[in-house]
Amino acid sequence: MTTNAAPAAPSRHPGTGNLTTRVLGVVALVALALTAWLGLVVSPPDVVQGQLVRLIYVHPAVATVAYLGFGVCALSSLAWLWPRTRSRRWDALAGASAEVGVMFCALTLATGSIWGRASWGVWWTWDARLTLTALLFAVFIGYLGLRRTGGSPEGRARRSAVAAIVCFLVVPVDREATNWWQTLHQGNTITRSNPTIHGWQLATISLSFVAFCLLFAWVLIHRYRVELLEDRYEHEGFALALSQRRAEGTGAAASPSPEAAAPAPEAPVR
Amino acid sequence: MWRDALLVAGKDLRVEARSRVATNQVAPYALVILLLFGFAFDSNRPLLVQAGPGLFWVAVLLCSLLAVQRSFAIEAADGARDGLRLSGLDPAGIFLGKAAAVAAVLAGLEVLLGVGIVILYGTGLHDPLLLIATAVLATAGLGAAGTVYGIMAAGLKVRETLLPLLILPVVAPVLLAATQAWRAALGLSADNGWRWLTLLGCFAAIYLTLGVLGFGTLLEEA
């Protein structure tokens, strides 16, 4: 029996997946593959945009998912600020969803830029929608920077929660930019009283929204669990390392190993 | 709340007046920015006149970073922020006071920069009322937004680098609207400059509301 027994170590590979996430991942992958097949093979070229229309099966969906990520971040932050629902889990969810949202926002800017180059002849134009999306990206990069600062977890969560709500104010303005200003960027295609898209194109774009939402959910769950594991590492890692060092020290004093008892070999003289 | 706001604004402005950082460092910095813009545009006067409003407001934004950092740096030493927290003052009043002090410093700098673009760039003034209304609303918005983000970054080790990343993207609407309004006021565009005041007013109102509601929460952790 040892007096300095190490506390029960956490499982060696805690991981972030389980049966639900695996199923979700497979479904997301199938939906994405189906979107790619419908978008590249089945869906016909557009009368006006030709083959370029195939970008519509990616760009609007990733933009919507970016908004979704920022929305989850703002709602989680509100839940954290509300005293009755305050929990570290809401803060972790806010951070995770902001990161995933930023990733999809970057994809939105990249795919939009490619589309702009092909249809307008320029990689970038100072259009209200484009500029506001770039602004949204920069604002949430700042939010992530704020989350990475030190200090107490409580203080960081409080600052981040307020910042998330302030940052989210850009989202509705960006979403409505094409309605409020005269923009080069096209307006709503599906969410209008008389959609301008039909048949396979409508089916494919609808599927793309579902597929990217599933992908978002899958990535978000994993990122959220990584955030919680980081917390666990911070809380338990130090205590575990300390007890291991103590155990090593006690073990060495009780029964020194042959290597430790033997004199250290002299360094060769060169 | 208003009495507390006056108290805090008076305190911040007295500190500024006695330390003379705004007059001896920030104001010369603002003028240096105007000179550098002149060098960058190769002293091309017609181009400087055209770009004058934008350059003016970019200079104001850069100066606002210094003003906000300064506003929270004066409470960093000797536990002054703890004293502020324990003073019993209404957090909303503290926010309004600090925002007013930042806005007052910025207003002074705007007068200086305005004289600078008239003299250095040869800009002519056409509609002083629109110029002043724009400056008042934009400065209120910058003061409010700067104070909200200033308290978020206060106390952090990386505040000097983080603050520009937090503030500059957020105040982009102020830059856009104030520049357009000033272009109209200076006779550089046929646009109706008054319509941009709506955006400036909304921006200032949103950040003043957010600051009044959230400053107490942020001050606890600063």
Side-chain angles (χ1 to χ4, degrees), chain B residues 119-195:
Chain B
I119 295 173
L120 296 173
Y121 301 169
T123 307
L125 305 179
H126 288 256
D127 190 347
L129 193 61
L130 179 56
L131 285 178
I132 293 169
T134 305
V136 167
L137 287 176
T139 308
L142 288 177
T147 308
V148 167
Y149 282 101
I151 191 67
M152 272 183 206
L156 300 177
K157 287 176 185 169
V158 292
R159 60 183 172 274
E160 289 87 1
T161 46
L162 186 63
L163 196 61
L165 181 61
L166 291 175
I167 291 184
L168 290 180
V170 167
V171 296
V174 175
L175 176 67
L176 174 74
T179 300
Q180 292 301 327
W182 268 46
R183 281 182 61 77
L186 296 175
L188 298 170
S189 80
D191 193 15
N192 175 18
W194 289 97
R195 72 192 182 98

Side-chain angles (χ1 to χ4, degrees), chain A residues 27-42 204 207-208 211:
Chain A
V27 173
L29 196 65
V30 169
L32 284 169
L34 198 58
T35 304
W37 178 66
L38 288 175
L40 295 173
V41 180
V42 178
T204 312
L207 180 65
S208 74

Side-chain angles (χ1 to χ4, degrees), chain A residues 1-6 250:
Chain A
M1 180 181 154
T2 55
T3 52
N4 287 324
T250 312

Side-chain angles (χ1 to χ4, degrees), chain A residues 181-239:
Chain A
W181 291 285
Q182 293 287 327
T183 61
L184 197 57
H185 192 285
Q186 72 182 68
N188 296 341
T189 304
I190 303 174
T191 54
R192 52 190 283 177
S193 54
N194 53 340
T196 55
I197 193 165
H198 308 279
W200 278 114
Q201 287 183 340
L202 181 61
T204 312
I205 195 171
S206 302
L207 180 65
S208 74
F209 280 101
V210 175
F212 279 102
C213 282
L214 288 169
L215 179 67
F216 167 77
W218 183 75
V219 177
L220 178 65
I221 291 170
H222 282 286
R223 184 62 192 91
Y224 167 71
R225 288 178 177 169
V226 167
E227 190 93 8
L228 294 181
L229 283 174
E230 282 175 0
D231 269 8
R232 191 170 158 191
Y233 175 75
E234 276 180 25
H235 288 138
E236 296 177 6
F238 180 72

Side-chain angles (χ1 to χ4, degrees), chain A residues 80-81 135 138-139 141-143 145-146 149-152 154-156 158-160 162-163 165-167 169 181, chain B residues 148-149 151-154 156 158 162 165-166 168-170 172-173 196 199 206-207 210 214 217-218 220-222:
Chain A
W80 191 92
L81 284 172
L135 200 64
V139 161
I141 289 282
Y143 167 79
L146 190 67
T149 54
S152 68
E154 172 92 4
R156 190 190 63 180
R158 192 181 296 272
R159 274 193 303 270
S160 307
V162 176
I165 293 164
V166 177
C167 293
L169 294 178
W181 291 285
Chain B
V148 167
Y149 282 101
I151 191 67
M152 272 183 206
L156 300 177
V158 292
L162 186 63
L165 181 61
L166 291 175
L168 290 180
V170 167
W196 291 100
L199 178 57
I206 287 169
Y207 274 95
L210 281 171
T217 305
L218 294 168
E220 280 177 36
E221 298 297 334

